[in-house]
Amino acid sequence: QVQLVESGGGLVQAGDSLRLSCAASGRTLNVHGMGWFRQAPGKEREFVACINWNGASTSYADSVKGRFTISGDNAKNTLYLQMNSLKPEDTAVYYCAQRHMYGSLCYREIAEYDYWGQGSQVTVSS
């Protein structure tokens, strides 16, 4: 089994920055991609960013491109999401996800992931 624990969320003002972390434990081998998703109240969970197994490929939702950066530290089994220039519309619960099914791409779809964290609340005030 795999456990994913997000941290780093909080309440910030528009224009501020936050860095989310996602620490993985358990069966941490055979990871074939990781991603960040978010879910705002009353809305469906949506893709934010992904990174492939070796970090060579990343992809971002248009709404966060140029403001958010996904990265990973394999030695620490930790995934990060650096969020700059935050906007009120970025308010959501942020989830990290890990893919153990074989694949070399950066995956943007919820169904492509096997394991999920419990989420971290990010609230951006105007």
Side-chain angles (χ1 to χ4, degrees), residues 1 9-10 31 33 36 39 45 67 73 83 91-92 115 119 121-122:
Q1 275 291 355
V31 177
W36 286 99
Q39 188 167 16
R45 191 170 300 190
R67 300 187 297 122
D73 185 334
M83 305 184 294
T91 295
Y115 297 98
Q121 177 70 49
V122 173

Side-chain angles (χ1 to χ4, degrees), residues 8-121:
L11 172 62
V12 297
Q13 293 187 332
D16 286 350
S17 298
L18 277 176
R19 188 177 79 159
L20 300 181
S21 300
C22 173
S25 61
R27 189 164 60 93
T28 56
L29 297 179
N30 299 319
V31 177
H32 291 279
M34 294 197 73
W36 286 99
F37 292 76
R38 68 186 182 186
Q39 188 167 16
K43 295 187 177 181
E44 294 186 349
R45 191 170 300 190
E46 65 176 6
F47 167 77
V48 174
C50 63
I51 188 168
N52 79 326
W53 70 279
N54 64 358
S57 177
T58 59
S59 181
Y60 298 91
D62 288 343
S63 59
V64 307
K65 198 173 295 183
R67 300 187 297 122
F68 290 12
T69 303
I70 188 171
S71 63
D73 185 334
N74 289 335
K76 297 181 178 180
N77 293 321
T78 301
L79 180 74
Y80 301 102
L81 184 69
Q82 178 65 44
M83 305 184 294
N84 298 329
S85 303
L86 283 162
K87 304 175 181 180
E89 51 263 44
D90 294 319
T91 295
V93 177
Y94 284 71
Y95 298 90
C96 66
Q98 195 174 87
R99 174 185 172 96
H100 283 233
M101 294 176 285
Y102 179 79
S104 60
L105 303 177
C106 184
Y107 298 93
R108 301 167 63 100
E109 301 296 329
I110 291 172
E112 299 286 358
Y113 292 90
D114 303 293
Y115 297 98
W116 294 82
Q118 83 290 345
S120 181
Q121 177 70 49

